[in-house]
Amino acid sequence: MERLLQDLRYGARMLVKRPGFTLIAIITLALGIGANTAIFSMINATLLRQLPVAEPEELLFVFTGNPGDPFNVSSYPDYVELRDQNQVFIGMACSGGITASLNSDDQAQAEPISGLIVSGNYFELLGVRADVGRTFAPDEDQTPGARAVVVISNRLWQSRFDSRPDINGLQIKLNGHSFTIIGVAPAGFNGTETNITRDIYVPMMMQAVVRPPRGGYSGEMNPDLLKVRGNRWLRMIARLKPGLSRDEAQAEMAVITSQQAEAYPDTNRNRIATLTPLSEGDPQQRGQLISAAGLSLGVVAIVLLIACANVANLLLARASSRQKEIAVRLALGASRWRLVRQLLTESVLLAVCGGLIGSLLAWWLIDIWKASPPPPGALPINPDFNLDGRVLLFTLLLSLLTGIVFGLAPALAASRPDLVRALKDDARASDPQRALNLRGALVIAQVALSLVLLISGGLFLRSLWRAQQIEPGFDAERILTAPLTVNLLRYTSAQGREFYRQVVERVSALPGVESASLARTIALGGGSSVRGLLIEGRQSPDNDLRSETTAGGTAFDNPNVINVNTVGLSYFQTLGIGLMRGRDFNEQDTADRPGVVIVNETFVKRHFPGEEVLGKRLSMRGQRGPWLEIVGIVRDSKYVTLGERAIPFAYLPLSQNHETGMVLHVRTSGDPSSLVSAVRSEIQSLDRNLPVPGVGPMTELLTASLYPARMGAVLLGASGLLALLLAAVGLYGVMSFSIARRTREIGVRMALGAQHRDVVRMVLKEGMALVGLGVALGVLGAVAATRLLASYLYDVSTLDVTTFAAIPVGLAVVALLACYIPAHRATRVDPMVALRYE
């Protein structure tokens, strides 16, 4: 320990003596370490952070899906049977996500709030106690609708209710229904999903109020989700009994689900149980997060490697000025290992200082992220991450490892001088060729790694540019959208129709509004309804064409399904979607008239090539109908993502297919942002309990849809430019070192008649040889690395010729400049001074 302290003191003194070198090295390392720390903090929050529950290793997710989709949710009747019939769990609980309308007496307008509807034993099973008040009692999970109580999050208690101590017993309104607050959940608790913020917890027996029907149902058709076995919406968790394994629990769940499949073949055929550790999170989200985290961490790791190579070059240059010091210590009996340890101590000191500055940089980057989080739905990431103990430990270990990585090779090289020459203060005491070879190898690695990042960033930039040039098929520039979640308030069909009529009528009368309409889903909103398709006169497909809706799917190649949207009058006019043939929906298309449908161009090309399509009929419920007559054909547009292929699409009239969760679309004559307040005011004037979240220009949706591509371009572009800067500095340092070593040679050449251009050519040839080798290796590396980016790119090949040609040329130009500066300086060598050199 005494020797270690001695090395630390001596190393600190040596670093202080060279403040310029020390500052450059620390800043270089801080950039690499800070970027890695910021990315790791995100990984820690989304993938590594343990849930604040008791003994999480005993908890399991229980999914009931099919062999093709095992990680699926369950129905309440299935949950009750699994809970009551198993012998392997201490207990089972279930929960389902909800979005509710929150209102209270001191609140003028309702606001949307995210939460969970949970079984009565949910908190007890997790081992979570309320910070204030209590959680649910057994009698609050017995009778539907009997106990309107709610537990709120610590965050909501602080932000909405100012941490008032008398929160218990306070009345609030959820979806227009009075609830009593009975407790406050502990800080940091968000249920069993780490990436979603939950602010309210409601007992399962209040389902009819807080978990109203899906958008495809009207209010009076509200199915009782606690009794309908085929309606799957619950996530189940279980706690293993002591001494039992997950495999034993899996086997018992398989027996129970097979019994259910036999007893209820219509709803439970082919359903299987799959158990996964709760600590690993949602298996489907986890794959997406691991992919994004791996890409991000790989990028910043490359930046750190380049920074290490740069600092290693600095240390090699610095070692040449310490040859006499090292030789004296060796001559006095110091072992080579003792010198290597001393030099490594200095390297680690540099890295630790870089880690401290890097932590501050990471803190700043995290604050930027929190100030501008991703749009809702863009990434399954909750931006609630920070520099906790695990992240700081990672930074410390990374700093120590970094110090060893970039310090070892220079330390080994510096500890083997020629003692005789070094003691005579001869600059040739070390092997100049070996030093140059090592520094050259480091530069080659820097150039190659920089090129990989630059080409990857270039592909993302090209992809982003291509995506922005894609024509969506509608005019989004002057469109304002506003979700109308009347399903939260359990409107009946008649109430919903009247509400929609009044909203469209009032908003259409606002100054600056050209037209208004309604749609079930927003184009490019990230979701779509997929239904079965049967064309009249054609053979019915083998699969059952029930009218079920699946969010987030698209029908590309399956001829038996079709993507569908339900729209109001004037929808195509409002969005600027061209009507090619036939007619638009009109007021005569009422519920008591024959059903009609409008299809797009791709539908006609796929199902009726060369035929007259108007007047043909199709069904989305199989042979039993109802049959819908095709009355119009509209132009293709983009429906889910900008990068999708053309897909068959159908539009249904709202007047014949009532939906309870529509979105208002408003075409304005000017900037749609100027009408946000007016539109929201008109909507809430009809019902103050109705929250109106997300009112904004439709162009924001286009921006959100490009968020992954934009973030990829920013991350890879910024990393690539930083890497290029570091590589250029490293190349400049190598060439300066080379010229300093060859001062006498250059002087001799010039004394013998060499011209300035000859010296410049010689130096440039040497430097560009390193660059050329680095570019060749970098291109090969980019060819392999960019294959991982295929799923993130829009209309751009991972081997895009333009990118692979332009980026290396640009890098070569920067490298040429980095070589030219020391080359030009070499031409100013005075031959007489150079001949007396050394």
Side-chain angles (χ1 to χ4, degrees):
M1 180 59 68
E2 182 180 350
R3 286 189 176 183
L4 176 61
L5 293 176
Q6 181 183 10
D7 287 346
L8 289 172
R9 287 194 297 267
Y10 183 78
R13 287 198 303 269
M14 294 301 296
L15 295 179
V16 170
K17 288 177 65 176
R18 294 289 185 91
F21 159 81
T22 302
L23 183 61
I24 292 174
I26 288 176
I27 292 176
T28 300
L29 293 171
L31 291 172
I33 295 175
N36 278 269
T37 299
I39 295 299
F40 182 78
S41 67
M42 179 191 72
I43 295 173
N44 175 56
T46 55
L47 294 172
L48 303 179
R49 185 178 294 169
Q50 288 291 330
L51 292 170
V53 299
E55 299 174 339
E57 68 279 358
E58 297 178 357
L59 292 167
L60 300 171
F61 276 126
V62 181
F63 298 99
T64 56
N66 55 60
D69 182 19
F71 306 115
N72 214 326
V73 288
S74 305
S75 67
Y76 188 75
D78 285 344
Y79 154 72
V80 172
E81 290 180 359
L82 291 170
R83 179 195 66 190
D84 296 342
Q85 295 177 17
N86 84 83
Q87 302 296 320
V88 292
F89 297 133
I90 294 174
M92 286 185 68
C94 65
S95 64
I98 58 173
T99 299
S101 166
L102 171 64
N103 211 338
S104 56
D105 294 337
D106 61 345
Q107 190 174 5
Q109 294 181 340
E111 61 177 289
I113 191 167
S114 176
L116 286 175
I117 180 170
V118 301
S119 56
N121 64 337
Y122 182 78
F123 289 99
E124 180 184 1
L125 185 72
L126 293 176
V128 174
R129 297 179 178 272
D131 272 3
V132 179
R134 64 176 178 86
T135 58
F136 302 126
D139 64 331
E140 290 163 345
D141 195 29
Q142 301 296 324
T143 307
R147 301 295 300 275
V149 293
V150 60
V151 174
I152 65 173
S153 72
N154 207 285
R155 177 180 43 258
L156 184 66
W157 178 45
Q158 294 179 28
S159 62
R160 178 69 184 82
F161 300 102
D162 298 323
S163 302
R164 52 187 297 179
D166 60 339
I167 190 69
N168 285 344
L170 185 69
Q171 296 287 314
I172 61 174
K173 284 188 176 182
L174 298 176
N175 295 348
H177 193 285
S178 292
F179 278 74
T180 302
I181 297 176
I182 61 170
V184 177
F189 181 73
N190 275 307
T192 57
E193 299 166 271
T194 58
N195 303 321
I196 301 177
T197 299
R198 304 293 191 183
D199 281 322
I200 58 171
Y201 303 88
V202 180
M204 187 64 63
M205 293 300 108
M206 297 306 297
Q207 170 267 319
V209 175
V210 297
R211 188 55 161 74
R214 297 181 301 165
Y217 292 92
S218 59
E220 69 269 21
M221 292 171 59
N222 182 14
D224 187 346
L225 298 181
L226 302 183
K227 296 180 181 179
V228 179
R229 187 174 296 273
N231 211 325
R232 297 182 173 86
W233 57 288
L234 292 173
R235 183 185 296 262
M236 299 185 295
I237 52 176
R239 186 178 289 276
L240 275 171
K241 288 183 177 179
L244 294 181
S245 68
R246 177 155 56 108
D247 290 340
E248 292 173 301
Q250 176 76 63
E252 177 152 334
M253 289 293 102
V255 172
I256 299 175
T257 52
S258 66
Q259 293 171 350
Q260 290 178 334
E262 292 179 5
Y264 316 106
D266 290 343
T267 58
N268 289 62
R269 184 187 297 116
N270 296 326
R271 299 198 73 80
I272 58 174
T274 304
L275 279 58
T276 64
L278 184 74
S279 58
E280 294 182 1
D282 187 323
Q284 293 175 317
Q285 279 193 359
R286 189 175 181 84
Q288 182 181 358
L289 289 171
I290 289 176
S291 175
L295 175 63
S296 303
L297 199 58
V299 169
V300 293
I302 290 176
V303 173
L304 182 58
L305 286 175
I306 295 172
C308 288
N310 211 311
V311 176
N313 261 328
L314 291 174
L315 288 175
L316 283 170
R318 183 167 177 262
S320 63
S321 65
R322 300 180 63 181
Q323 292 173 1
K324 186 172 183 179
E325 170 208 341
I326 293 172
V328 168
R329 297 182 68 177
L330 286 170
L332 292 176
S335 67
R336 187 184 178 202
W337 161 241
R338 183 70 180 82
L339 290 175
V340 169
R341 192 178 73 181
Q342 173 62 54
L343 295 174
L344 279 179
T345 301
E346 296 176 21
S347 301
V348 170
L349 272 176
L350 277 177
V352 170
C353 292
L356 291 174
I357 304 299
S359 297
L360 297 177
L361 175 63
W363 193 357
W364 176 67
L365 291 173
I366 290 171
D367 284 343
I368 292 177
W369 172 273
K370 289 182 176 180
S372 54
L379 285 176
I381 293 176
N382 178 7
D384 184 21
F385 50 88
N386 46 50
L387 300 182
D388 61 14
R390 182 186 284 118
V391 175
L392 293 176
L393 178 61
F394 167 83
T395 305
L396 175 61
L397 295 177
L398 182 64
S399 300
L400 295 175
L401 178 62
T402 298
I404 295 172
V405 167
F406 73 76
L408 185 59
L412 292 174
S415 62
R416 296 177 60 185
D418 184 323
L419 288 180
V420 176
R421 287 182 174 178
L423 292 174
K424 291 180 178 179
D425 209 12
D426 189 336
R428 294 171 293 174
S430 62
D431 184 350
Q433 190 58 46
R434 187 178 69 226
L436 275 175
N437 288 343
L438 179 56
R439 300 193 70 188
L442 291 172
V443 168
I444 291 171
Q446 285 181 281
V447 171
L449 293 173
S450 300
L451 192 60
V452 171
L453 290 183
L454 286 168
I455 288 178
S456 300
L459 289 175
F460 266 94
L461 288 171
R462 287 268 292 168
S463 171
L464 185 61
W465 181 81
R466 287 282 186 89
Q468 291 172 337
Q469 305 306 310
I470 294 175
E471 176 56 50
F474 54 86
D475 181 12
E477 293 298 323
R478 292 187 288 120
I479 302 295
L480 186 74
T481 59
L484 303 176
T485 51
V486 297
N487 56 316
L488 296 180
L489 305 181
R490 297 195 298 167
Y491 277 37
T492 65
S493 178
Q495 290 172 330
R497 292 176 189 274
E498 178 60 20
F499 180 85
Y500 291 149
R501 186 193 65 79
Q502 290 191 45
V503 165
V504 172
E505 183 179 283
R506 289 192 180 199
V507 171
S508 296
L510 289 174
V513 173
E514 294 183 353
S515 64
S517 186
L518 299 162
R520 177 68 186 94
T521 58
I522 308 175
L524 298 180
S528 178
S529 297
V530 181
R531 301 190 185 181
L533 172 66
L534 176 62
I535 298 173
E536 188 177 29
R538 299 186 183 178
Q539 183 178 359
S540 176
D542 294 334
N543 58 315
D544 181 19
L545 296 180
R546 291 173 294 175
S547 180
E548 295 186 351
T549 300
T550 303
T554 54
F556 287 105
D557 302 313
N558 188 346
N560 300 325
V561 294
I562 186 170
N563 287 74
V564 177
N565 197 2
T566 301
V567 301
L569 300 179
S570 304
Y571 174 79
F572 303 111
Q573 173 190 344
T574 301
L575 263 71
I577 298 175
L579 181 67
M580 299 178 63
R581 294 168 55 201
R583 67 171 178 87
D584 197 349
F585 299 130
N586 57 45
E587 295 180 354
Q588 282 69 49
D589 297 320
T590 56
D592 57 350
R593 298 290 298 275
V596 294
V597 63
I598 292 176
V599 298
N600 69 344
E601 297 173 273
T602 298
F603 177 90
V604 176
K605 293 175 183 176
R606 179 168 299 184
H607 296 286
F608 295 95
E611 299 181 43
E612 175 55 57
V613 66
L614 296 178
K616 301 288 187 180
R617 298 203 308 169
L618 57 86
S619 170
M620 298 179 185
R621 295 177 183 264
Q623 292 288 357
R624 66 180 180 270
W627 293 95
L628 311 174
E629 180 186 352
I630 299 174
V631 297
I633 305 170
V634 295
R635 294 194 180 279
D636 287 343
S637 60
K638 301 295 183 180
Y639 306 103
V640 181
T641 68
L642 278 171
E644 70 190 17
R645 292 180 289 160
I647 60 175
F649 206 87
Y651 298 90
L652 301 174
L654 176 62
S655 56
Q656 294 182 339
N657 303 268
H658 181 67
E659 301 264 4
T660 62
M662 302 295 286
V663 180
L664 178 67
H665 291 66
V666 182
R667 172 167 289 281
T668 64
S669 57
D671 181 9
S673 300
S674 62
L675 287 173
V676 169
S677 297
V679 169
R680 180 182 285 116
S681 177
E682 288 295 336
I683 295 171
Q684 292 200 309
S685 67
L686 293 173
D687 192 335
R688 68 183 295 268
N689 289 319
L690 180 70
V692 190
V695 181
M698 197 174 190
T699 50
E700 292 181 357
L701 295 175
L702 301 182
T703 301
S705 69
L706 295 176
Y707 183 82
R710 184 173 291 105
M711 286 305 297
V714 170
L715 175 64
L716 285 164
S719 300
L721 291 176
L722 176 60
L724 176 62
L725 174 62
L726 293 175
V729 171
L731 181 61
Y732 173 84
V734 166
M735 299 315 300
S736 297
F737 178 77
S738 174
I739 289 170
R741 286 289 182 180
R742 300 173 66 181
T743 300
R744 189 170 184 276
E745 174 195 341
I746 293 173
V748 171
R749 287 175 178 272
M750 296 186 69
L752 293 176
Q755 300 297 313
H756 286 189
R757 62 176 178 272
D758 298 322
V759 175
V760 170
R761 187 183 302 114
M762 177 188 68
V763 176
L764 290 182
K765 182 179 178 181
E766 180 182 325
M768 294 310 290
L770 298 177
V771 174
L773 184 54
V775 167
L777 294 175
V779 169
L780 293 176
V783 169
T786 54
R787 293 179 181 274
L788 303 175
L789 307 178
S791 60
Y792 299 96
L793 302 177
Y794 288 93
D795 195 29
V796 173
S797 167
T798 56
L799 299 177
D800 181 64
V801 175
T802 302
T803 304
F804 272 80
I807 298 296
V809 171
L811 186 148
V813 170
V814 173
L816 185 64
L817 179 62
C819 293
Y820 178 78
I821 295 174
H824 177 69
R825 191 170 65 243
T827 63
R828 301 169 63 184
V829 171
D830 186 335
M832 297 304 298
V833 174
L835 290 174
R836 291 195 300 269
Y837 186 68
E838 301 175 356

